[in-house]
Amino acid sequence: MDTPVEQQHRVYRTGDGTNVGAIGLGIYTRLTGADTKGAYSLFEYVVPPNLGGPPTHIHSREDELFTCVQGRVVVELDGEEHVLGAGDSLLMPRGVPHMFHNPFDEETRVVAVVSPPGLENYYQALSELPPGPRDMKLVAEIMVEHGLSLQKKPS
């Protein structure tokens, strides 16, 4: 009996992966830490026009590299606003407050490389919350469990 050959490569097409969408956007998990032998995770974010995006937050465990592949996206990183167009990238180091949104009239797609992996577990937990309005207490508990926190507004 032949032993199956381990898959060495794969082409990922737009929209491939498991959609664990949350907060009104599509979040496609393309590669998990298990797929990359613990090196990184890979996601595609599909951000509808005029979507507010997630609130300002901090990752204590992961660095994120955003590459805009379609449309434009506004990323606020440590209080500085950056507009990324197709082909532009921005590194968001762990520990630095950030958020993103699409204030434009066209859909935006962003490919995100996250290292080390694990953010896929956070997205999965969010996707398992009951439908309807978000219970922010539950969201905050999930965030803490996965090393994320909301940025507190200055008083």
Side-chain angles (χ1 to χ4, degrees), residues 72-75 81-85 88 104:
R72 293 176 290 165
V73 64
V74 176
V75 181
E81 192 172 279
H82 305 274
V83 178
L84 304 180
D88 295 339
F104 306 108

Side-chain angles (χ1 to χ4, degrees), residues 32-133:
T32 66
D35 298 323
T36 65
K37 299 179 183 169
Y40 60 91
S41 301
L42 182 70
F43 303 95
E44 178 184 20
Y45 302 139
V46 180
V47 191
N50 301 300
L51 182 76
T56 302
H57 60 283
I58 298 170
H59 296 255
S60 66
R61 301 175 185 166
E62 305 93 7
D63 298 321
E64 295 179 279
L65 176 66
F66 267 29
T67 300
C68 182
V69 296
Q70 176 185 314
R72 293 176 290 165
V73 64
V74 176
V75 181
E76 185 179 300
L77 178 64
D78 204 17
E80 186 176 342
E81 192 172 279
H82 305 274
V83 178
L84 304 180
D88 295 339
S89 298
L90 178 65
L91 176 63
M92 296 180 289
R94 69 190 82 185
V96 179
H98 63 279
M99 62 85 68
F100 65 93
H101 65 282
N102 177 6
F104 306 108
D105 291 330
E106 60 187 332
E107 181 179 85
T108 297
R109 290 180 180 263
V110 173
V111 171
V113 178
V114 179
S115 178
L119 197 59
E120 61 268 27
N121 300 321
Y122 167 67
Y123 290 141
Q124 186 61 45
L126 282 182
S127 76
E128 293 169 1
L129 288 173

